[in-house]
Amino acid sequence: MHMQSASASTIPIVQTERLTLRGHTLADFPECAAMWGDPHVTQHIGGRPSTEEEVWARVLRYAGMWVLLGYGYWTVRERESGRFVGEVGLADFHREITPPLGDAPEAGWVLASWAHGRGYATEAVRAALSWADAHLAAPRTVCIIAPDNAASIHVAEKCGYREWTRSTYKGDATILFERPRA
C-alpha cells in the first residue's frame, strides 16, 4: 500500500503583485502563533489571544481542509521581503449558526498587526476568491464578521460581499455576508 501525505507543496501557490499565498509549513508556526497571540489581532476574532496549543490545532485544521475539501487557508507573505503578513483562505468550520452556512465555503482573513492598513487583506482575499472561482464549483462563498470590525467589513465589501443577515455566533453579534461566484 502506498500512502501519500499532503504537504505545503500540494497546495496551490497564488501570487499577486505584492503577495505570495502558499500552504503552511512547520517553519510558519512561530509567526502564526505570534500573530494569533496578539490581542489587537484577535479583538474581533473570538475576543482573546490564542494559546500556542490553539494555534497549533488551527494550523493542523488548515492542512486537513486542503486534504479533505480541496481548499483551505494559505500563509500570506510579502513577495519581495518574504515577511509574514498573515493568513487567508476558505474553510468549512461546520459552525453552529442560524441560519446555517450550508456547503458554502467560508472566506476568512487575519493579518499581523504591522500589516494592517496597507491593502494587503483586500489583495489577498481577492486572490483567494479568484482562485476559488476558477477551481471550486460552489455557487457562492460566505463570511462572518463582528459588527464593530469596520476594517474587515470594508475588505469584504471591496471583495464583492454583501450583507445577507445578522445573527449571533457563540453569544456574540455577527454579520453574515455572501458573494456569488464570479
Side-chain angles (χ1 to χ4, degrees):
M1 177 190 327
H2 176 70
M3 300 279 289
Q4 182 177 348
S5 63
S7 68
S9 64
T10 62
I11 297 169
I13 296 172
V14 177
Q15 293 201 323
T16 69
E17 181 183 338
R18 302 181 295 166
L19 305 172
T20 298
L21 285 61
R22 62 153 175 78
H24 287 75
T25 66
L26 290 175
D28 297 319
F29 180 72
E31 292 165 305
C32 292
M35 176 185 68
W36 282 105
D38 179 346
H40 180 68
V41 170
T42 60
Q43 66 182 339
H44 300 296
I45 310 171
R48 67 166 179 78
S50 296
T51 66
E52 283 198 4
E53 181 179 349
E54 291 165 334
V55 177
W56 180 245
R58 183 178 283 117
V59 170
L60 294 176
R61 186 170 61 201
Y62 295 157
M65 281 188 254
W66 282 106
V67 172
L68 297 176
L69 304 175
Y71 60 87
Y73 269 67
W74 289 274
T75 293
V76 181
R77 291 192 173 272
E78 283 184 324
R79 281 181 72 166
E80 195 171 303
S81 69
R83 189 175 184 188
F84 177 83
V85 172
E87 299 170 341
V88 66
L90 297 149
D92 179 354
F93 293 122
H94 284 257
R95 292 192 193 275
E96 294 178 7
I97 191 168
T98 302
L101 303 178
D103 292 335
E106 179 186 337
W109 52 92
V110 57
L111 272 59
S113 289
W114 76 265
H116 294 182
R118 299 171 183 243
Y120 284 159
T122 301
E123 187 173 329
V125 173
R126 283 180 175 155
L129 293 173
S130 178
W131 178 88
D133 288 343
H135 295 93
L136 303 179
R140 70 179 185 138
T141 57
V142 297
C143 64
I144 69 170
I145 303 174
D148 56 349
N149 190 346
S152 273
I153 290 169
H154 187 61
V155 168
E157 290 172 343
K158 287 196 297 186
C159 293
Y161 283 96
R162 296 295 170 254
E163 184 174 326
W164 163 34
T165 191
R166 292 186 178 229
S167 187
T168 57
Y169 180 65
K170 293 188 176 179
D172 295 320
T174 191
I175 306 172
L176 282 64
F177 292 83
E178 64 182 349
R179 172 192 171 272
R181 182 177 180 199

